[in-house]
Amino acid sequence: KAGVTQTPRYLIKTRGQQVTLSCSPISGHRSVSWYQQTPGQGLQFLFEYFSETQRNKGNFPGRFSGRQFSNSRSEMNVSTLELGDSALYLCASSSIGPYDTQYFGPGTRLTVL
Amino acid sequence: SQQGEEDPQALSIQEGENATMNCSYKTSINNLQWYRQNSGRGLVHLILIRSNEREKHSGRLRVTLDTSKKSSSLLITASRAADTASYFCATDGQGAQKLVFGQGTRLTINP
């Protein structure tokens, strides 16, 4: 099976812009989770989707949003970018959710200038 | 806030030696997972141990779980240069539908 893919791998944006990141899970996986990783805060949970429904959301402002499509592919959007949004954004997929083994993608490195 | 806290934050050992990393967490869990991350890349799942298990092995990895102390340890035996990476524990926070990661242990294996 192909692994989790994320696009794009690298992104440079300026403050105030918005960005959309994409994640394609492993075939058959219905759960997709998103995480933000920064040197200061570590790995922080953003949200989790299962069968197009958001089941949980982390402690992030409303500028961070996501969605999941019927084919389980997921996107996350960050509007009005701030310098502090510079991070590695990781998505992970699994069959049933965070209780199960998570398979991570390579991440999208977002730099906000 | 972080659920899992790893100790030590950094560990440097010689190739061939064993490496032990510890993780403590705060709330009840269904399971605890360990992941490895090579410099700035995605995480790789190493092992999952359920709350009713006390020890689990996978190749050179040995994980223990003590739910009474809310702690876990990861032992890597006969370390290799390729084991150089950051190691994270993650807990599921019962019912929360999310994984909560610790800050990680940075392991360096010196040749």
Side-chain angles (χ1 to χ4, degrees), chain A residues 62-84:
Chain A
R63 299 185 297 107
F64 291 80
S65 62
R67 59 178 175 169
Q68 186 180 34
F69 301 95
S70 58
N71 62 357
S72 293
R73 189 176 69 86
S74 178
E75 290 181 347
M76 66 163 283
N77 183 276
V78 188
S79 62
T80 319
L81 285 166
E82 300 176 0
L83 295 178

Side-chain angles (χ1 to χ4, degrees), chain B residues 30-105:
Chain B
N30 288 310
N31 63 54
L32 184 145
Q33 304 182 44
W34 285 90
Y35 289 84
R36 184 187 75 228
Q37 185 179 36
N38 291 90
S39 186
R41 299 183 183 178
L43 279 72
V44 174
H45 179 261
L46 295 176
I47 200 162
L48 181 154
I49 185 166
R50 303 198 185 280
S51 59
N52 61 353
E53 297 176 310
R54 292 295 169 259
E55 188 171 312
K56 205 163 183 180
H57 297 256
S58 177
R60 295 184 296 113
L61 306 180
R62 172 179 169 249
V63 167
T64 61
L65 179 64
D66 187 335
T67 53
S68 66
K69 295 181 180 178
K70 292 186 170 56
S71 67
S72 174
S73 68
L74 170 66
L75 168 67
I76 303 174
T77 61
S79 63
R80 306 167 181 170
D83 295 329
T84 293
S86 292
Y87 291 81
F88 296 88
C89 69
T91 53
D92 58 20
Q94 273 186 332
Q97 294 298 348
K98 66 178 181 180
L99 278 182
V100 181
F101 286 84
Q103 289 286 3
T105 293

Side-chain angles (χ1 to χ4, degrees), chain A residues 4-63:
Chain A
V4 177
T5 59
Q6 291 186 246
T7 57
R9 292 292 311 279
Y10 302 91
L11 207 49
I12 299 175
K13 292 286 188 178
T14 56
R15 279 183 301 173
Q17 288 186 311
Q18 75 166 18
V19 67
T20 299
L21 311 181
S22 180
C23 172
S24 293
I26 290 172
S27 178
H29 284 185
R30 296 163 67 185
S31 169
V32 174
S33 299
W34 288 88
Y35 297 86
Q36 180 197 65
Q37 186 177 29
T38 59
Q41 297 299 316
L43 280 153
Q44 302 279 323
F45 171 78
L46 281 158
F47 23 66
E48 190 259 354
Y49 288 89
F50 184 87
S51 294
E52 301 180 68
T53 299
Q54 185 182 87
R55 295 197 294 190
N56 200 358
K57 188 178 190 299
N59 189 26
F60 280 82
R63 299 185 297 107

